[in-house]
Amino acid sequence: MGKIFAVLSGKGGTGKSTVSVGIGLGYAKRGKKVLLIDLDEGLRCLDLMVGISAELVFDLADLLAGHPIVDGIYPTELSENLFLIPAPQQDGILQSESLSDLIQTLSPQYDIIILDFSAGIHRRLLSALPPNTQWLAVCNADPVSVRDITVFTDSADTLRPKPLLILNRFSYWNFRDGGFQTLDEIVDTGGLRLIGVIPLDFQLAQLPVRHRLPPKSRGFLAFDRIVGRLEKENIPLPKPQRI
């Protein structure tokens, strides 16, 4: 059975979808077969990031309704090892029981499954995921986003194991003037263990347009480090000014 990751946040706009794609690509570059599942009903975007929006016919709603699974799984332009099930175009369709059944069916076929949730706390859908799910909470290094992840952590305190924290869109110069003195201060406020920091990177911002992320870009290198840590490799966090 493959590993399952759920990418979450309290508020919108933190860049969860970018994190989902980046971690998926990091694993794919290591030879793992990776499936992204977009759960952002009505507001899907992973198909744009991975370059398959023009090809879509079936989505997650069709698969949950009983359509053949193979028709809703799309290969991506980013890697031959990276695949996507796009989110439904309509809101309010996903049901926890059918989602649970789908994940159980797909898990033996993939090394890694990454679920990109919409913003907020979705207790009904979170309860559908297997107990070995690793939760990844995404926030930005600003007081509003950090406070929001604190509220999210308190509200989702039943999640086990406890979510790991990813700081996204990090700019050292903005961070230095943004109300926090150190990364430890953010970790202490959010109450979660920091697994990685993703820089504010133009090439990441261009994913929906270019559908590629150069392996030597700052963004990809940050995701590669996160994947290494998720695989229990001893990779220290860079100093903030070098991220």
Side-chain angles (χ1 to χ4, degrees):
M1 179 174 289
K3 295 182 179 180
I4 298 174
F5 296 96
V7 182
L8 314 165
S9 76
K11 69 186 293 292
T14 59
K16 287 187 313 333
S17 296
T18 302
V19 169
S20 297
V21 173
I23 291 175
L25 184 58
Y27 270 111
K29 293 292 187 182
R30 292 177 175 225
K32 303 297 185 182
K33 188 178 180 182
V34 181
L35 176 64
L36 301 169
I37 302 180
D38 192 342
L39 298 179
D40 199 351
E41 298 176 271
L43 295 171
R44 66 188 185 194
C45 68
L46 290 189
D47 55 304
L48 285 171
M49 290 188 173
V50 301
I52 63 165
S53 58
E55 305 169 19
L56 297 192
V57 178
F58 302 105
D59 58 34
L60 181 56
D62 298 305
L63 305 192
L64 297 180
H67 198 87
I69 294 176
V70 66
D71 289 343
I73 299 177
Y74 297 85
T76 73
E77 291 187 10
L78 285 170
S79 169
E80 62 181 8
N81 293 328
L82 187 64
F83 301 84
L84 170 68
I85 297 177
Q89 289 184 303
Q90 296 81 30
D91 190 14
I93 291 177
L94 298 184
Q95 299 297 322
S96 57
E97 295 82 4
S98 52
L99 179 61
S100 177
D101 292 342
L102 180 66
I103 293 172
Q104 289 182 12
T105 298
L106 291 171
S107 185
Q109 304 174 35
Y110 292 88
D111 299 306
I112 305 291
I113 293 178
I114 301 173
L115 299 113
D116 181 24
F117 277 81
S118 58
I121 302 169
H122 307 275
R123 289 185 177 85
R124 176 176 52 85
L125 292 180
L126 293 177
S127 66
L129 303 191
N132 64 324
T133 300
Q134 176 62 70
W135 318 94
L136 302 175
V138 181
C139 79
N140 305 138
D142 64 78
V144 172
S145 188
V146 173
R147 182 182 66 180
D148 190 76
I149 207 67
T150 303
V151 174
F152 171 83
T153 302
D154 292 341
S155 300
D157 59 358
T158 58
L159 295 180
R160 294 292 182 274
K162 201 168 185 179
L164 299 171
L165 179 64
I166 295 175
L167 287 180
N168 193 29
R169 297 175 180 158
F170 181 85
S171 164
Y172 175 67
W173 304 109
N174 292 339
F175 169 74
R176 194 175 62 173
D177 299 328
F180 295 104
Q181 300 300 313
T182 65
L183 292 178
D184 287 339
E185 187 177 347
I186 294 178
V187 172
D188 292 341
T189 302
L192 300 177
R193 182 165 76 89
L194 183 63
I195 192 71
V197 183
I198 309 300
L200 184 64
D201 182 6
F202 175 76
Q203 295 188 82
L204 280 176
Q206 287 293 298
L207 260 179
V209 178
R210 297 184 178 181
H211 319 307
R212 61 186 297 269
L213 185 59
K216 294 185 178 181
S217 66
R218 293 170 62 234
F220 177 80
L221 292 175
F223 283 120
D224 189 58
R225 290 192 293 267
I226 288 176
V227 169
R229 295 183 194 110
L230 291 172
E231 292 300 302
K232 311 303 182 184
E233 298 173 14
N234 185 18
I235 302 175
L237 286 168
K239 293 181 179 180
Q241 58 267 38
R242 294 187 176 181
I243 293 172

